[in-house]
Amino acid sequence: MNGGNGDGDLRIGVYVCHCGINIASMVDVEKVAERAAAMPHVVVARDYKYMCSDPGQQMIAQDVRNHRLNRIVVAACSPLLHEKTFRGAVERAGLNPFFFHMANIREHDAWVHENRDEATTKAIDLIRAAVRRVGHHKALERRTVSINPNVLVVGGGIAGIHAALKIADAGRRVYLVERELSIGGHMAKFDKTFPTLDCAACILTPKMSQVKDHPNITLWTYSEVAGVEGFVGNFKAKIRRKPRYIDEETCVGCLECIEACIFKEGKFPDEYNEGLSKRKPMYIPFPQAVPQVTAIDPETCLHFKTGKCKQPCVSVCDRKAIDFDQKERIEEIEVGAIVIGTGFQTFNPTDRLPQYGYKILDNVYTALEVERLVNSSGPTGGEVVLRDGSRPRAVGILHCIGSRDTKTNIWCSRVCCMYSLKLAHLVHERTKAEVYNFYIDMRAPGKGYEEFYNRLLEEGVHFIRGKVGGVTDWAMVPEEEGRLVIRVEDTLGGFVRRVPVDMVVLSTGLEPRADADDVRRTFNISCSTEGFFLERHPKLAPVETASDGIYLAGCCQAPKDIPDTVAQAGAAAAEALALIDRGEVELEPNTAYIDADECSGCKSCLSLCPYNAISFIEEKKKAEINEALCKGCGTCVAACPSGSIIQNLFEDDEIFSEIAEVLSDV
Amino acid sequence: MKIKQSIRYDSERSSQFTKEVVSRPGGEMIQACIQCGTCSGVCPLSNYMDRTPRQIIYLAREGFGDEVLHSRTIWMCTSCYACSVECPRGIKITDAMYALKRMAIERGTYPRRFPIPVLARTFFAMVRRNGRTNESQLAAILFLKTNWLQLLNNARLGLDLIRTGRFSMFKWERIEGRAELNAILSDDGKPE
Amino acid sequence: MQYVYYPGCSLKGTGRAYEESVLAVFDKLGIQLAELEDWNCCGATAYMSVDEHRSFALAARNLALAERQAPDTAMVVPCSGCYLTLNKTCHIVKDYPEIAQEVKTALDRAGLEWKNRVEVRHPLDILVQDLGLDTIRQAVVRPLKGLKVAPYYGCQIVRPYSTFDHQIYPTSMDHLLEALGATVMHYPLKTKCCGGSMTGTVPEVGKRLSYILLNEAKKREADLMATVCPLCQFNLDAYARDAAHAYGPVNMPVVYFTQLMGLAFGLSAKQVGLQRNIVSAMGSLKKFCSTGAAGAAATAK
């Protein structure tokens, strides 16, 4: 049936969608349909409220039968949204689904214009071009390829951990790749989680152990994805495994090497404690780290620095796990689907917002630092103390640092209000200090969140509505001497206040990781203007990406809290499993092929193909494209000097006729 | 105890006022304000104002023109631009204050005996005559016109300036291109 | 290196010491400054609040003259008020075509043309960015060892059109003063308004703001404050007595950063106009002042 009946005289049907009022309010759809009816070869032209609805699709099928249509044009939204829908409708009506073309009169027209007459004219132009183009369309066949059932999960935070466990529990092999020495991500640094105040470690570490023990999970920490090739169902990934100078298989995590290290005390900033404590060159990131394997930091290790260390670590390790000669390794794997959960970074106020005194005034902390201070396994054993060891009498928590601000990050980071409440509670509980929250709007939309806010109000924590102007050590009155002073407008009181405190907590926002753009390129996915990875559809495809087979989980897509992250990770796992369980995938037929008669064998296309789909056949002295690998990007088509590469659905006469027609009025 | 109603009726509002502020350079973005109060928090003069800068933006946005133009706030702005560079919404608050000052002068609602308009007139006359200003003369004239007692209060300052060679009451700085300058400034439709 | 130099009214009047020290220091460093011929008042911020368009036209004449005098040469503007007004005019005509048209019409009447190509820059910017701290360090013959300085930038050189430093927490002068050998204090009020524009209109507020700045420098045991603006210097120096009278004794000299540079380069107190301070800075600066032959020798070198 896919052969259709595209031959013979052209009989074209044109359908103009109102999209409710999305299109109809800016485009005179009736006039457009009327004008379309008069275009060459157009047999029927109609406008309809929602072409994507069942009645809309049935209308097409009916017209194909009654009017013996052989080409269909739908003028509606972006093909990204509904090309698939309408191709399906055309196919069900008995035509080849590629005897169809879509004109985008919503995103390209109604939504971007303010003059109805001009928008209407443009819609007519676009449809005329589509009508002319669709006449050149050929019947095409879709190909299917089988899907590799393994899944790559990138990032070992709570998002990656959860997705990996779900997929592994379903019986599929998972490769979990984590950049740091241990999985756990940001969540492993937290003390309690809002709003229930359950201990982050207590709920996270069991999951971390499960990952380590799961027979279906291959865990590679201190590793990065170096490159990805292929396409949905058939990805090839290279994983770079950085040397930690400890053999992971041999080390049992007895930690005696740390004890034995030539450095008797920690001397270098401990990343896990946000630099608030010191570690040795031989270290384990934190007590519950998974895997329980130490690592050597070559930047600070005496052996690497001078070659003159007595290496007490080596002598104390009876399992001989220490290997100073360990080199970087590359693992190559094949997977059918990829889940990206690379997370976020917190906003760094140094240099960017010096008015809050971070790194200028002693007792100004970021929220993540205070997370470590309140944590019983943190640098102070859970004691909230200032740099001089004393207890704060008053603490100010400043919301929206690096959020909701055109100068830094314009978005609301979604979690700061709630974690600020949590920190306010914990700090108040541990120190009995007066705690002040300075906020713009209190955002507590989640299960039990508003109730948690109410609880904090009842605990007597201060809530001052106003974004803090600055933190200073400039005292105006005796009680401010030697303390930090917060200057803020109390917008509810309608006056300016100076609030002296001993400790300032900056509730820094969430932003894309500094290397998010590299990650984006590695996986060939898109990001939104702010740099978070872009989902395929903000409502209906929130974990898919524009690249088939690649899914998103957690804060790499947008700031979100732990419950939402876990929910999204579960959804990403489900999507990946759904894909894999299908067993095979249909490929778009928009691939390129080489007209062997025309090919001059110049080889210029070979190096250009990003998918390595072109090979050179020495006997024939001609290039050849492997259709299974071709993604239809068109690079070779444009580059071929002899014009001998042709791309399905983008043939010269299809494109040129479209361009000629859209410009015919100009 | 005198009881006063504090209710505002919608008839006291003027959308026209909002439109006018928005149409002036600096006022464009006031409708983007999220009322966070950063402007007041960083303003070094906000503690001397009868309404905080945030409230002025709010009232202008809502169209309570009388409250805005009769407020002392707009005259307390020293144009240090702290609010403008700190505003998370990119509102040019200092320039908005300039716009409001001009609207107040146009409507004659500035505080009586407030010296800014006098200063501006004196300044303009001097620039027009000489092309340059002379701070000592400018200050003296301003005090004479607004509050001559200040002249006496500042006598000692005058002596200090003479002692340190910084006083230039009787020295004329004049430019050559005065005709050129007058051509630039002669805009017929505008009051001087 | 050469630049057009726009002094502005203050540097010819109450800010004379600023002009003297800027010219002396730039000369010492081999940077040529050619005063803008027949410059007029910049338009000033107080006037701007009343008649914005005329004040842009006033500024524009200077910018047009600068382009005519030395095309593609940046203009150095030491006074923060002038620096802001001239810079603002350049920005405004880009953002508001109607104002640009008015300014153009006004200039046309005088037969002048302004292409908005001349860059308006502050001496601090030139010294730190173009010349560099290394060169400055090399020119120091008498390091200001032990001199505790509170760096005070005022508001209008970094705001709102900051091009060379942070708008709230600038550090370029800190680094420059350190290059001279001075000890730079942590001074939290470095960009807080001095109240200068208030002393004429609401004097009690102006005095209060001045007092806060002076007193904070004193509490931090600074020997003096260094500033980049003639309006701040005048306000803090000339009204110090009034401020002290109203709020309590404070004796804090305020000098131009270029005066300190001059001393460090071996110039005499007189050559950089230190005698023009009302609150004398000689108490802490005496030991850095060259006298007689030594000074002359340093100058000759």
Side-chain angles (χ1 to χ4, degrees):
Chain A
M1 97 181 178
N2 274 358
N5 39 12
D7 303 329
D9 292 341
L10 288 174
R11 298 182 63 82
I12 304 175
V14 177
Y15 300 88
V16 183
C17 182
H18 299 199
C19 194
I21 58 160
N22 275 304
I23 294 169
S25 63
M26 189 46 66
V27 172
D28 182 347
V29 284
E30 285 169 28
K31 181 179 170 191
V32 171
E34 215 170 88
R35 296 286 294 276
M39 290 175 191
H41 306 297
V42 172
V43 179
V44 200
R46 302 182 196 277
D47 60 281
Y48 188 68
K49 208 163 176 67
Y50 290 108
M51 279 310 297
C52 58
S53 65
D54 270 355
Q57 296 185 48
Q58 277 161 20
M59 184 171 22
I60 296 175
Q62 225 162 29
D63 283 351
V64 168
R65 273 194 301 278
N66 298 345
H67 297 278
R68 291 179 296 112
L69 301 178
N70 53 24
R71 294 289 191 282
I72 302 295
V73 167
V74 175
C77 53
S78 160
L80 193 68
L81 253 65
H82 278 307
E83 190 175 55
K84 215 172 170 180
T85 314
F86 294 121
R87 278 182 181 166
V90 170
E91 191 167 15
R92 282 193 299 280
L95 286 179
N96 183 286
F98 298 95
F99 283 150
F100 161 81
H101 194 63
M102 205 166 169
N104 183 351
I105 58 167
R106 194 177 76 173
E107 285 85 343
H108 286 183
D109 188 7
W111 279 358
V112 291
H113 291 288
E114 288 175 345
N115 181 309
R116 191 172 159 88
D117 288 340
E118 286 171 9
T120 303
T121 308
K122 184 171 175 181
I124 294 166
D125 288 346
L126 290 170
I127 291 170
R128 200 175 51 240
V131 164
R132 182 78 187 279
R133 183 193 216 272
V134 80
H136 293 280
H137 278 206
K138 300 198 173 85
L140 298 170
E141 295 294 327
R142 290 196 185 96
R143 292 164 299 117
T144 58
V145 292
S146 62
I147 289 178
N148 183 309
N150 302 335
V151 180
L152 167 63
V153 176
V154 189
I158 182 59
I161 289 173
H162 188 76
L165 284 173
K166 288 291 138 190
I167 297 165
D169 284 348
R172 300 301 184 179
R173 165 129 314 265
V174 175
Y175 299 95
L176 176 58
V177 176
E178 164 58 45
R179 167 184 288 177
E180 304 292 337
L181 291 167
S182 168
I183 55 171
H186 280 96
M187 189 177 169
K189 295 186 175 186
F190 302 160
D191 182 41
K192 300 279 168 62
T193 54
F194 62 77
T196 45
L197 293 177
D198 38 4
C199 153
C202 311
I203 56 178
L204 179 64
T205 44
K207 289 184 82 113
M208 289 164 62
S209 311
Q210 278 176 46
V211 166
K212 182 69 193 152
D213 299 336
H214 207 297
N216 288 342
I217 297 180
T218 304
L219 172 62
W220 287 328
T221 56
Y222 212 49
S223 303
E224 288 173 15
V225 178
V228 176
E229 288 171 6
F231 57 96
V232 53
N234 296 273
F235 294 106
K236 285 198 178 86
K238 283 195 174 74
I239 315 296
R240 182 188 303 121
R241 304 198 59 200
K242 297 175 281 184
R244 65 201 289 157
Y245 305 107
I246 307 288
D247 183 57
E248 268 187 58
E249 307 307 316
T250 321
C251 175
V252 287
C254 68
L255 310 185
E256 280 183 33
C257 51
I258 302 179
E259 194 58 38
C261 179
I262 199 93
F263 286 92
K264 287 298 148 221
E265 298 288 330
K267 207 180 156 198
F268 311 100
D270 182 343
E271 299 85 355
Y272 177 70
N273 278 332
E274 296 293 304
L276 293 172
S277 67
K278 307 275 193 222
R279 62 157 171 79
K280 299 178 180 181
M282 175 71 82
Y283 69 113
I284 188 158
F286 54 99
Q288 306 86 352
V290 169
Q292 272 286 311
V293 176
T294 55
I296 298 172
D297 172 12
E299 295 298 313
T300 51
C301 169
L302 204 58
H303 168 76
F304 282 101
K305 298 294 276 185
T306 66
K308 285 181 188 153
C309 184
K310 279 183 280 178
Q311 302 183 353
C313 52
V314 175
S315 25
V316 82
C317 180
D318 5 308
R319 296 182 60 88
K320 305 280 168 252
I322 294 165
D323 176 6
F324 289 115
D325 298 322
Q326 203 173 61
K327 294 278 174 299
E328 180 177 295
R329 282 167 296 159
I330 299 282
E331 305 266 4
E332 294 192 22
I333 54 169
E334 293 186 3
V335 296
I338 300 173
V339 174
I340 299 178
T342 48
F344 63 95
Q345 66 184 27
T346 51
F347 175 84
N348 183 355
T350 326
D351 300 331
R352 285 169 83 182
L353 294 175
Q355 56 267 49
Y356 298 117
Y358 185 66
K359 300 276 182 206
I360 298 169
L361 303 170
D362 254 359
N363 291 312
V364 179
Y365 295 82
T366 65
L368 206 50
E369 288 171 337
V370 178
E371 289 281 359
R372 296 310 304 148
L373 285 183
V374 296
N375 194 303
S376 49
S377 68
T380 55
E383 281 280 318
V384 180
V385 289
L386 302 173
R387 305 233 191 238
D388 66 1
S390 69
R391 268 196 181 186
R393 285 176 292 146
V395 177
I397 301 177
L398 280 52
H399 293 220
C400 297
I401 304 300
S403 298
R404 302 185 69 190
D405 187 341
T406 49
K407 300 186 306 301
T408 54
N409 295 326
I410 195 159
W411 55 89
C412 164
S413 295
R414 262 190 85 178
V415 296
C416 325
C417 277
M418 292 308 296
Y419 81 56
S420 298
L421 291 177
K422 174 190 74 180
L423 291 176
H425 170 83
L426 295 174
V427 168
H428 181 69
E429 182 186 66
R430 311 266 162 97
T431 63
K432 300 288 171 257
E434 290 283 317
V435 179
Y436 300 85
N437 272 271
F438 300 91
Y439 67 101
I440 304 176
D441 295 296
M442 187 56 68
R443 293 185 171 170
K447 195 172 181 179
Y449 291 11
E450 181 71 12
E451 294 88 325
F452 189 58
Y453 174 33
N454 293 340
R455 172 176 170 185
L456 267 286
L457 285 164
E458 287 159 28
E459 284 176 6
V461 167
H462 300 267
F463 287 90
I464 299 176
R465 191 195 170 281
K467 172 94 186 265
V468 170
V471 176
T472 177
D473 57 348
W474 150 53
M476 281 291 288
V477 288
E479 66 264 28
E480 293 175 354
E481 293 291 346
R483 303 179 80 187
L484 297 170
V485 178
I486 291 166
R487 194 172 193 273
V488 64
E489 177 181 7
D490 184 331
T491 63
L492 300 179
F495 40 74
V496 178
R497 287 174 70 172
R498 288 175 62 97
V499 183
V501 296
D502 308 298
M503 176 189 235
V504 164
V505 184
L506 303 179
S507 295
T508 48
L510 275 50
E511 60 184 17
R513 294 190 72 94
D515 64 349
D517 209 44
D518 299 335
V519 175
R520 182 182 72 74
R521 266 193 286 266
T522 301
F523 293 97
N524 195 24
I525 56 176
S526 328
C527 61
S528 42
T529 46
E530 64 269 30
F532 291 110
F533 299 147
L534 191 64
E535 64 283 354
R536 173 168 285 184
H537 189 279
K539 284 99 186 173
L540 302 179
V543 304
E544 293 167 61
T545 65
S547 297
D548 291 334
I550 300 185
Y551 306 99
L552 302 174
C555 290
C556 64
Q557 181 254 341
K560 52 179 70 71
D561 57 20
I562 295 169
D564 284 1
T565 295
V566 171
Q568 198 187 19
E575 292 282 357
L577 287 169
L579 172 77
I580 288 167
D581 285 353
R582 220 183 295 152
E584 57 182 27
V585 63
E586 258 189 357
L587 298 183
E588 275 288 288
N590 62 345
T591 48
Y593 61 94
I594 293 175
D595 182 344
D597 293 342
E598 299 286 329
C599 175
S600 66
C602 73
K603 299 186 183 177
S604 46
C605 54
L606 295 177
S607 60
L608 292 174
C609 178
Y611 307 98
N612 295 326
I614 313 178
S615 51
F616 192 73
I617 312 299
E618 282 298 339
E619 312 81 85
K620 299 187 201 158
K621 298 272 178 248
K622 306 272 183 196
E624 205 171 83
I625 296 175
N626 178 348
E627 273 195 74
L629 295 178
C630 175
K631 287 285 277 176
C633 70
T635 309
C636 59
V637 183
C640 178
S642 59
S644 57
I645 310 185
I646 301 148
Q647 187 179 0
N648 289 326
L649 278 176
F650 295 94
E651 293 188 23
D652 285 356
D653 49 3
E654 291 170 344
I655 293 174
F656 289 131
S657 65
E658 189 176 17
I659 295 172
E661 206 57 59
V662 87
L663 294 175
S664 66
D665 267 359
V666 178
Chain B
M1 185 165 58
K2 198 168 175 240
I3 306 292
K4 220 177 114 191
Q5 271 209 77
S6 64
I7 193 167
R8 287 283 186 287
Y9 293 96
D10 215 49
S11 54
E12 296 168 56
R13 238 168 43 79
S14 151
S15 335
Q16 198 47 46
F17 181 82
T18 312
K19 279 197 193 122
E20 188 177 343
V21 179
V22 170
S23 73
R24 291 185 177 231
E28 301 93 345
M29 287 290 286
I30 63 160
Q31 299 192 101
C33 178
I34 55 170
Q35 290 291 303
C36 67
T38 303
C39 46
S40 320
V42 298
C43 176
L45 276 304
S46 52
N47 40 330
Y48 300 100
M49 294 170 172
D50 52 351
R51 294 185 191 277
T52 64
R54 172 192 60 86
Q55 288 174 323
I56 293 294
I57 300 291
Y58 178 75
L59 292 168
R61 192 183 189 283
E62 281 302 291
F64 288 105
D66 277 352
E67 271 84 348
V68 171
L69 296 186
H70 284 103
S71 165
R72 189 165 76 222
T73 296
I74 53 179
W75 301 105
M76 299 301 293
C77 172
T78 63
S79 16
C80 79
Y81 289 91
C83 51
S84 295
V85 303
E86 294 259 25
C87 174
R89 300 295 294 139
I91 305 171
K92 299 174 188 168
I93 301 165
T94 310
D95 291 339
M97 291 293 170
Y98 275 137
L100 293 171
K101 281 181 204 179
R102 282 192 292 277
M103 285 171 73
I105 290 173
E106 286 161 22
R107 288 164 168 75
T109 56
Y110 58 87
R112 284 186 59 224
R113 296 186 66 102
F114 196 77
I116 288 248
V118 182
L119 176 68
R121 269 197 298 277
T122 314
F123 174 90
F124 183 68
M126 191 180 280
V127 170
R128 189 146 204 182
R129 200 167 54 241
N130 302 328
R132 294 184 188 167
T133 54
N134 177 316
E135 297 155 303
S136 311
Q137 284 178 12
L138 197 61
I141 296 169
L142 177 69
F143 290 149
L144 277 176
K145 285 192 180 174
T146 56
N147 182 358
W148 60 270
L149 266 174
Q150 282 224 42
L151 197 58
L152 293 181
N153 292 343
N154 283 293
R156 197 161 163 205
L157 173 59
L159 290 176
D160 279 340
L161 291 175
I162 292 169
R163 174 172 63 80
T164 56
R166 297 163 74 175
F167 192 71
S168 47
M169 179 68 101
F170 308 108
K171 189 168 166 257
W172 297 95
E173 283 275 351
R174 297 184 87 165
I175 68 168
E176 296 298 317
R178 291 195 293 280
E180 190 178 275
L181 194 74
N182 267 298
I184 289 175
L185 296 176
S186 72
D187 189 349
D188 290 335
K190 294 209 161 175
E192 281 177 14
Chain C
M1 269 194 238
Q2 59 181 36
Y3 301 93
V4 175
Y5 164 59
Y6 177 90
C9 304
S10 282
L11 270 75
K12 296 292 180 188
T14 53
R16 202 159 287 162
Y18 197 10
E19 169 159 78
E20 289 160 351
S21 58
V22 165
L23 294 181
V25 162
F26 273 62
D27 182 53
K28 192 85 190 156
L29 292 167
I31 309 173
Q32 289 167 27
L33 296 182
E35 183 168 329
L36 180 65
E37 286 160 30
D38 208 40
W39 56 270
N40 58 267
C41 166
C42 69
T45 52
Y47 183 52
M48 196 170 272
S49 66
V50 179
D51 189 344
E52 197 174 35
H53 294 195
R54 276 218 182 97
S55 100
F56 291 140
L58 277 172
R61 177 175 179 268
N62 293 313
L63 297 163
L65 291 181
E67 284 180 3
R68 194 168 68 186
Q69 182 173 322
D72 300 315
T73 308
M75 183 157 78
V76 183
V77 182
C79 169
S80 297
C82 304
Y83 175 79
L84 170 68
T85 310
L86 293 168
N87 250 323
K88 183 168 182 175
T89 304
C90 297
H91 276 89
I92 283 277
V93 297
K94 279 189 194 129
D95 295 345
Y96 299 96
E98 290 154 40
I99 298 178
Q101 188 52 48
E102 277 187 45
V103 167
K104 186 179 180 307
T105 313
L107 290 178
D108 281 348
R109 281 198 296 268
L112 287 169
E113 192 193 8
W114 170 45
K115 301 197 190 86
N116 203 355
R117 287 180 56 181
V118 58
E119 266 187 288
V120 177
R121 301 182 60 189
H122 194 270
L124 181 59
D125 176 16
I126 304 272
L127 291 168
V128 174
Q129 305 294 330
D130 292 9
L131 195 69
L133 293 179
D134 285 338
T135 315
I136 290 169
R137 227 170 263 126
Q138 282 160 21
V140 173
V141 295
R142 189 179 289 110
L144 306 179
K145 279 269 168 315
L147 183 71
K148 290 184 282 183
V149 187
Y152 178 62
Y153 296 75
C155 38
Q156 296 183 335
I157 72 158
V158 281
R159 293 196 294 259
Y161 307 113
S162 166
T163 51
F164 65 95
D165 211 336
H166 195 276
Q167 296 175 317
I168 305 298
Y169 200 79
T171 50
S172 49
M173 180 167 56
D174 298 34
H175 300 316
L176 189 149
L177 294 171
E178 276 162 4
L180 303 179
T183 305
V184 179
M185 327 281 302
H186 163 66
Y187 186 61
L189 306 179
K190 52 167 70 170
T191 61
K192 188 180 154 79
C193 174
C194 70
S197 65
M198 286 276 128
T199 42
T201 53
V202 195
E204 55 282 15
V205 173
K207 269 183 267 181
R208 178 79 183 154
L209 293 182
S210 304
Y211 171 77
I212 287 171
L213 293 181
L214 296 168
N215 189 49
E216 188 64 18
K218 181 182 145 196
K219 272 167 65 181
R220 289 175 188 271
E221 296 175 351
D223 293 323
L224 46 77
M225 288 168 70
T227 182
V228 299
C229 171
L231 309 171
C232 300
Q233 201 282 338
F234 177 75
N235 189 48
L236 293 172
D237 188 29
Y239 291 101
R241 189 188 306 111
D242 287 1
H245 184 70
Y247 301 108
V250 56
N251 184 35
M252 179 52 57
V254 182
V255 301
Y256 297 108
F257 76 109
T258 41
Q259 293 180 304
L260 296 179
M261 288 180 80
L263 291 187
F265 295 168
L267 299 175
S268 72
K270 186 127 196 238
Q271 281 170 307
V272 295
L274 275 170
Q275 76 282 10
R276 301 196 190 279
N277 256 51
I278 293 170
V279 178
S280 171
M282 290 315 280
S284 51
L285 289 182
K286 194 175 274 161
K287 58 181 165 190
F288 305 112
C289 293
S290 45
T291 46
T299 318
K301 194 174 76 172

